[in-house]
Amino acid sequence: MRFPYGLTPLRNAFRLLRDLRRWSPQDRVRDTGLLEQWQEEVAVVGNSGSARVEVELWFRNDPVRRAAAQAQVSGLIAAAGGQVRGSSALAEIGYHAVLADVPHAQIQQVLDQGPGAIELLRANDVMLVSPATAMSVVRSDDVADGELADRQADPPTEPPLVALLDAVPLANHELLAGRLVLDDPDGVGALYPSASQQRHGTAMASLIAHGDLNDPGPPLPSRLYVRPVLGPHPFYDNIERVPEGELLVDLIHRAFQRMFKGEGQQAAAAPSVRIVNLSIGDPARIFVRRMSPLAKLLDWLAYTYNLLILVSVGNHDTRTTVPAELLDKPTELSRHLLANNRDNALRRRLMSPAEAVNVLTVGATHADSWSGTVPDTVLDAAEPHLPAPYGGGGLGHRRSVKPDILLPGGRRLFQRPVPGRTGDVELRPASTEATGPGQRVAAPDRRGGAAATAFTHGTSNATALATRASALVMHQLNTDPSHEGDHPFPDPQYHPVLTKALLVHAASWGDAFTILQQRLDSDLTRLDGTQLLGYGLLHSDRLAVADRGRATLLGAGTITGDQRHTYRYPLPPGLRATTDWRRLTITLAWLSPVNTRTQLHRSARLRVEPPTDELHLQRMQADPNGVRRGTVQHELLDGRRAAVYADDAHLALNVDCRLDNRAAPGTPVRYGLVVSLEVGVNVRTDVHAEVRQQLRTRIQTLTRVQPAS
């Protein structure tokens, strides 16, 4: 048929369709893990009792239609013998959900006859039904012997710059006393039968405040705001989870509202916060094509409140089966584990909300500062400083780069199987909390004491360390480190995006990609490397610092659709016509408004085109297409060819902005730009001094030509 004028693109879309139908009961459970979980649950408990589910409804803008839809769904649940436990509607992200208990008798019908067997899964108002598995963290009760690290400076008095949304920490621990602002409006702390169960929140607070106690850094110079979103499990004392009866999306939304707008008659609880840590991942929400409501919420919150939010990729089960003959061949065993993780990448994807585009998603490497000797009873089977075997990975929304950066998450060891085994043997994680290795953190002892430590690992740890690094960078920016004659540093409103850019700017693949190619006996592409490494490992020695061989310039601004901002980086005369190795690193980060009604989601697309001709450079490392699909563009360009240029030559870097056509005209977008030029250690040219002098000369020239007011 001939399509009307202007609708020809629809013809091309229809050519790609394999199945055109109404939204069906099968669609309401696909990729949610609901049927798999119901099958396991019924096999254990039979037809007695009920299962908790999250019923996500199609969002209606009209409050009357929204209420009617909820009433209908609630009626269907009640008629089937179930019970509604709660509900939430957030217009900002187009989210409407009901938390409910469904009888196992109904579940059995679905397992026997398919999703269309019950009214709930046939209801037109229902979009998705997923298991309401409370997000949780599992811990050990083992603690380490020995004395604490030196008690450092007095507790800080500065208002909180960082917020930790996690479990309740042991606030009177010797390493945390006076350093926390604990805000527990729901009384979660009172639910713990014993302080000895307050492990995960204590560990995260310790890592943010002090770093790994095996090699502690300076304490955080401001207090840490803590809002509990996890509490004790009612039956298992080694699990901390989202409180029963809470929709996690609603709980997180209320936590942010309380921090920045207040709750009821109470004023904002922590308006000074600019960095938020969320070191938990939802194993029931593995990222497969569709963004989770929590990821959408975090993207909206980051833009609305101008925040840097850090999220972990989530931890996966590391139990695996290997040939027995590899147990005494460390290199071969490491190669086998790497290949196994690569082959099972689809089952080891990001956990919600790590796919969010405005957040900084953090993965873990198999590394820590523990310096002891590994006993013969365990196996250290993973490769040092490569991605940890427990961490998730893969690309994010619309194939954007995720995780953004990798930090040490602590080593996880395996129990050594009984000698003499043949064939395939199962490797199980070893318990190392009391002896190491791992990252040493503050912990309550078995009796709830306030002076113990434990060794831990996980992507949560890596995210806490990234949060700590972010806080130290932002404190540095807040002190305005500019000197007389320099251009002043950007306004504090740009510190969140600048901190985000600076963290990624200090990341690179290093030798990790080459090692992966060798271990996997494969010619990995840059896309393969991006899926495994993201933008790479954070090199803390390169974070917000420069030296004679590296000059780093910062810029920031607010841009809107179809605008261009141009920055000029002076080229040092000492590099002219030389064949010395040089690297140009460009990192552009921004916070995008979001449109949760479309698959595009990200409303603002910023980009900077790396200059390659002036210094004869070639783009390296991360996939060049993937770097433009998120809210961080990180480019590394290397070269050695001689470049000839004039004394006053510069690199022109254009920041361009495109807004989705549904975004309001003039929508502001904050961004930060970090650009570094560095040379090898053997080059005599003082790049930093030459670039700085040229900048000062230009500033003086501009000042002289300004018209009198």
Side-chain angles (χ1 to χ4, degrees):
M1 63 174 288
R2 291 184 61 84
F3 279 68
Y5 179 79
L7 297 182
T8 303
L10 282 178
R11 178 193 63 196
N12 301 329
F14 280 117
R15 283 176 177 166
L16 301 175
L17 289 177
R18 291 179 298 174
D19 184 18
L20 183 62
R21 53 182 166 73
R22 290 183 178 274
W23 194 251
S24 69
Q26 288 77 15
D27 295 312
R28 294 185 176 98
V29 298
R30 184 175 288 119
D31 297 332
T32 66
L34 182 72
L35 299 184
E36 294 81 357
Q37 178 163 321
W38 277 359
Q39 223 159 13
E40 294 176 8
E41 194 167 328
V42 170
V44 174
V45 302
N47 284 337
S48 61
S50 60
R52 185 154 294 176
V53 296
E54 180 178 338
V55 183
E56 192 173 345
L57 283 63
W58 297 104
F59 186 81
R60 314 293 186 187
N61 285 323
D62 183 356
V64 175
R65 294 183 64 195
R66 200 158 61 231
Q70 181 171 324
Q72 183 194 26
V73 170
S74 299
L76 292 175
I77 293 169
Q83 187 174 358
V84 172
R85 296 292 184 178
S87 64
S88 176
L90 301 176
E92 297 89 349
I93 61 169
Y95 172 75
H96 187 194
V98 170
L99 189 68
D101 291 334
V102 176
H104 280 158
Q106 289 262 300
I107 293 172
Q108 189 64 58
Q109 290 185 47
V110 173
L111 297 179
D112 292 341
Q113 304 171 35
I118 62 174
E119 287 287 340
L120 178 63
L121 295 179
R122 295 199 302 267
N124 287 333
D125 287 312
V126 173
M127 180 173 69
L128 294 172
V129 180
S130 57
T133 304
M135 189 182 291
S136 61
V137 291
V138 182
R139 55 171 177 73
S140 167
D141 287 329
D142 289 336
V143 293
D145 297 324
E147 294 295 322
L148 287 172
D150 293 339
R151 281 55 164 188
Q152 302 189 29
D154 293 334
T157 57
E158 289 186 30
L161 185 65
V162 179
L164 171 65
L165 274 57
D166 208 275
V168 180
L170 188 65
N172 65 340
H173 193 284
E174 289 190 21
L175 286 171
L176 300 178
R179 298 185 179 278
L180 309 182
V181 177
L182 180 58
D183 184 19
D184 186 12
D186 300 328
V188 178
L191 302 177
Y192 283 85
S194 167
S196 64
Q197 295 178 241
Q198 297 174 213
R199 297 293 292 273
H200 196 265
T202 304
M204 296 303 103
S206 173
L207 286 167
I208 294 173
H210 300 287
D212 185 349
L213 295 177
N214 292 317
D215 183 22
L220 204 68
S222 61
R223 290 181 293 167
L224 175 64
Y225 173 85
V226 182
R227 166 64 190 265
V229 295
L230 300 177
H233 194 283
F235 308 116
Y236 303 105
D237 62 3
N238 67 330
I239 295 178
E240 292 172 282
R241 69 170 196 174
V242 173
E244 196 170 33
E246 291 277 9
L247 282 163
L248 182 59
V249 173
D250 186 61
L251 177 61
I252 298 297
H253 181 257
R254 288 192 288 110
F256 276 82
Q257 292 284 94
R258 181 179 175 86
M259 271 194 283
F260 301 111
K261 294 183 69 174
E263 193 171 35
Q265 300 300 315
Q266 183 176 334
S272 59
V273 164
R274 299 264 59 86
I275 301 170
V276 179
N277 176 282
L278 191 64
S279 288
I280 50 179
D282 188 353
R285 286 269 191 174
I286 303 298
F287 173 61
V288 182
R289 294 188 297 273
R290 184 185 296 116
M291 290 192 74
S292 65
L294 184 54
K296 294 178 181 179
L297 176 67
L298 293 184
D299 283 338
W300 179 80
L301 291 168
Y303 176 79
T304 301
Y305 294 118
N306 189 26
L307 301 170
L308 172 58
I309 302 177
L310 296 100
V311 175
S312 62
V313 297
N315 298 328
H316 290 271
D317 189 358
T318 57
R319 288 177 295 180
T320 187
T321 301
V322 302
E325 62 267 20
L326 298 183
L327 297 179
D328 295 319
K329 302 175 181 178
T331 301
E332 294 298 319
L333 180 58
S334 172
R335 179 181 289 116
H336 180 88
L337 293 178
L338 284 171
N340 182 66
N341 285 351
R342 177 197 59 192
D343 296 340
N344 292 282
L346 287 179
R347 294 198 295 270
R348 304 178 63 82
R349 298 293 303 272
L350 306 170
M351 291 183 184
S352 167
E355 74 273 20
V357 297
N358 273 336
V359 308
L360 199 64
T361 303
V362 183
T365 61
H366 182 71
D368 53 52
S369 299
W370 184 79
S371 57
T373 301
V374 176
D376 293 336
T377 56
V378 295
L379 288 170
D380 191 356
E383 193 83 18
H385 304 293
L386 289 184
Y390 49 76
L395 301 177
H397 177 63
R398 298 182 69 82
R399 300 177 65 80
S400 59
V401 176
K402 291 290 178 180
D404 295 285
I405 54 176
L406 303 172
L407 276 84
R411 285 174 283 173
R412 184 168 199 176
L413 308 188
F414 292 100
Q415 299 173 12
R416 182 180 288 276
V418 177
R421 298 279 300 275
T422 59
D424 289 341
V425 297
E426 185 181 26
L427 292 184
R428 291 179 171 271
S431 177
T432 58
E433 285 80 3
T435 59
Q439 291 165 335
R440 194 168 189 173
V441 298
D445 64 27
R446 296 178 184 88
R447 296 175 300 278
T453 61
F455 294 97
T456 67
H457 60 265
T459 58
S460 297
N461 293 26
T463 307
L465 291 179
T467 301
R468 171 180 168 79
S470 303
L472 295 176
V473 168
M474 197 171 292
H475 276 288
Q476 187 176 349
L477 292 174
N478 287 339
T479 60
D480 190 4
S482 56
H483 299 278
E484 185 178 353
D486 291 334
H487 196 281
F489 266 66
D491 187 85
Q493 67 171 308
Y494 301 111
H495 288 179
V497 286
L498 271 176
T499 302
K500 181 179 178 181
L502 282 164
L503 253 70
V504 178
H505 194 75
S508 70
W509 290 358
D511 296 330
F513 185 62
T514 302
I515 295 172
L516 285 170
Q517 286 182 313
Q518 294 170 350
R519 296 293 183 265
L520 295 173
D521 294 326
S522 173
D523 187 17
L524 298 177
T525 66
R526 290 168 66 181
L527 179 59
D528 296 328
T530 305
Q531 294 186 67
L532 294 167
L533 299 169
Y535 284 126
L537 288 64
L538 176 70
H539 302 280
S540 56
D541 58 332
R542 302 171 62 85
L543 183 58
V545 296
D547 54 37
R548 66 182 305 276
R550 182 172 68 251
T552 302
L553 274 61
L554 278 64
T558 300
I559 197 169
T560 189
D562 298 324
Q563 284 189 347
R564 166 175 286 185
H565 292 178
T566 300
Y567 293 83
R568 292 175 175 81
Y569 189 108
L571 291 176
L575 285 186
R576 188 170 46 211
T578 69
T579 57
D580 297 314
W581 174 86
R582 64 196 72 103
R583 168 171 288 177
L584 181 68
T585 306
I586 304 169
T587 309
L588 174 66
W590 67 98
L591 294 174
S592 173
V594 294
N595 184 345
T596 58
R597 303 299 183 85
T598 73
Q599 287 295 319
L600 293 176
H601 181 67
R602 180 191 62 164
S603 293
R605 291 174 291 155
L606 272 63
R607 64 181 292 178
V608 56
E609 190 62 39
T612 57
D613 296 337
E614 292 87 339
L615 293 175
H616 304 304
L617 303 176
Q618 290 186 329
R619 297 164 93 165
M620 311 290 290
Q621 300 195 9
D623 175 57
N625 295 316
V627 301
R628 294 179 176 177
R629 293 176 176 146
T631 58
V632 178
Q633 181 184 349
H634 182 54
E635 305 265 10
L636 282 77
L637 301 95
D638 287 11
R640 284 182 177 274
R641 284 180 54 195
V644 179
Y645 48 82
D647 287 342
D648 59 349
H650 62 265
L651 299 175
L653 298 126
N654 299 316
V655 177
D656 295 310
C657 176
R658 287 283 186 89
L659 285 179
D660 176 51
N661 57 13
R662 297 193 182 192
T667 299
V669 181
R670 294 186 182 92
Y671 70 87
L673 178 67
V674 183
V675 184
S676 290
L677 180 62
E678 64 180 303
V679 295
V681 293
N682 297 323
V683 177
R684 295 182 179 180
T685 301
D686 190 334
V687 174
H688 186 272
E690 290 189 1
V691 170
R692 186 172 200 168
Q693 182 55 47
Q694 286 190 287
L695 280 174
R696 287 183 167 182
T697 301
R698 293 189 179 192
I699 291 170
Q700 293 169 0
T701 302
L702 289 173
T703 303
R704 286 196 298 269
V705 301
Q706 290 292 331
S709 58

